[in-house]
Each structure stands twice: as C-alpha cells, then as structure tokens.
Amino acid sequence: MRVIAKKILREFWEKHNDCEDQLKSWYKEAVEANWQIPNDIKKEYPTASFLADNRVVFNIKGNHYRLIVKINYAFSIVFIRFVGTHAE
C-alpha cells in the first residue's frame, strides 16, 4: 500500500514519544500490506473499526491512541486522516 502523509505520524510521535515504535510498526506493516477489502485488514488488526466512506480506526499502543485512515482499495492508497488521543 502507498501511505500518504507520514508527516502526520512523525509530528504526533514527536509530541507523544511513548507511541513512536507502534506508529512506525503500523506504517511499515501498512506499506508492505496488500489490502483489497476490509476483511484483509480485520485479519491483521482484529480490533480495527470500520466507518463509512472506507475509513478505518486503528487502536495504537493498547488503545491509548487512535489512528484514522481512509483507504482507496482500488489504487492501494492509505490516507492518514487523524492520529490522537481518545479525548481529541
């Protein structure tokens, strides 16, 4: 998959150092993935939640943080939309 906006992840882990390794791992796994349908994601990330408009919520660092992405399955592109705490 092609992941767009890694900068959002980098800026977040610079503020929240405790999730840097988890975000880097997620990024590496996403780049190497070949997600064709939501079930492909669910196999790797059973706790992922699926929203309307091909958006997916990933729990980061034991559900301390959330990562929301939008996926274009046809073009194998993942757009990072938001990463933050549950309160945000």
Side-chain angles (χ1 to χ4, degrees):
M1 302 296 287
R2 186 169 156 216
V3 180
I4 306 295
K6 183 180 179 183
K7 179 182 176 184
I8 295 170
L9 297 179
R10 185 173 47 261
E11 289 172 351
F12 188 79
W13 77 54
E14 287 173 355
K15 293 179 187 174
H16 303 274
N17 296 342
D18 60 330
C19 66
E20 180 177 356
D21 291 339
Q22 290 83 1
L23 289 173
K24 284 181 176 178
S25 291
W26 177 89
Y27 179 83
K28 183 178 185 282
E29 291 168 11
V31 167
E32 294 172 355
N34 185 22
W35 297 325
Q36 302 283 320
I37 58 173
N39 279 345
D40 294 341
I41 297 169
K42 203 65 166 168
K43 288 176 191 173
E44 293 179 48
Y45 297 95
T47 60
S49 301
F50 297 88
L51 307 173
D53 200 27
N54 289 328
R55 289 176 295 151
V56 183
V57 180
F58 294 94
N59 296 317
I60 303 295
K61 194 178 181 270
N63 209 20
H64 285 97
Y65 303 103
R66 287 186 175 183
L67 170 63
I68 301 175
V69 302
K70 182 174 180 176
I71 301 179
N72 183 322
Y73 294 100
F75 291 99
S76 299
I77 300 175
V78 177
F79 300 94
I80 296 171
R81 292 292 183 220
F82 171 81
V83 61
T85 64
H86 285 277
E88 293 175 330

